[in-house]
Amino acid sequence: MNERRSGWLLFAGIMIFIAGVLNTIYGIGAISDSKFFVDDTKYIISSLNTWGWITLIVGVLQLVAAVSIWRGGGFGMVIGMGVAMISAIVALLSIASYPLLSLAIFAVDVLIIYGLATYGGQRTTTGITA
């Protein structure tokens, strides 16, 4: 069981690192008003520039969480799940700017949350083992 747990934690760390890199690049592109995004898009809150800053901050936090997960810290698992939840919400709220990338980041965030929630914490079993 320990090998399975460590495999999922490695997977979640790699996925949160990938999501962090994508969100960082996505955020920098949105801040610089890149032509990569859909033109004349209406957002629920504010503008593409604001969403770029939010996405950049989330991406940097994801990179910090990935390093902490790889080092075995409980901080990374808690922060990783929280930032993945925020990233999933941000991805869905900014879906108008680049739909395919937003859906891909959302899917990766769901995998991160699953991996960290299921295999992230220390579990103890009670009872008699044979």
Side-chain angles (χ1 to χ4, degrees):
M1 181 68 176
N2 195 17
E3 297 86 20
R4 186 174 183 186
R5 178 180 177 270
S6 64
W8 269 102
L9 288 178
L10 177 63
F11 174 76
I14 290 169
M15 295 311 291
I16 201 165
F17 182 79
I18 291 170
V21 169
L22 288 175
N23 279 330
T24 302
I25 292 169
Y26 181 49
I28 291 170
I31 292 167
S32 66
D33 293 325
S34 175
K35 300 299 179 203
F36 177 74
F37 299 101
V38 177
D39 291 334
D40 300 329
T41 303
K42 303 294 182 200
Y43 297 92
I44 294 174
I45 301 170
S46 199
S47 66
L48 179 62
N49 196 322
T50 304
W51 283 110
W53 280 107
I54 293 169
T55 305
L56 179 64
I57 291 168
V58 167
V60 169
L61 289 174
Q62 284 177 320
L63 294 173
V64 170
V67 170
S68 181
I69 289 169
W70 289 333
R71 295 184 73 196
F75 168 78
M77 291 178 222
V78 172
I79 296 300
M81 278 191 353
V83 173
M85 287 185 274
I86 292 169
S87 175
I89 293 167
V90 168
L92 290 180
L93 287 176
S94 63
I95 201 166
S97 63
Y98 198 77
L100 185 60
L101 180 62
S102 294
L103 290 176
I105 290 175
F106 177 77
V108 168
D109 288 331
V110 169
L111 289 174
I112 292 166
I113 293 167
Y114 171 76
L116 292 177
T118 305
Y119 299 101
Q122 293 288 343
R123 297 179 193 249
T124 58
T125 57
T126 58
I128 301 171
T129 58

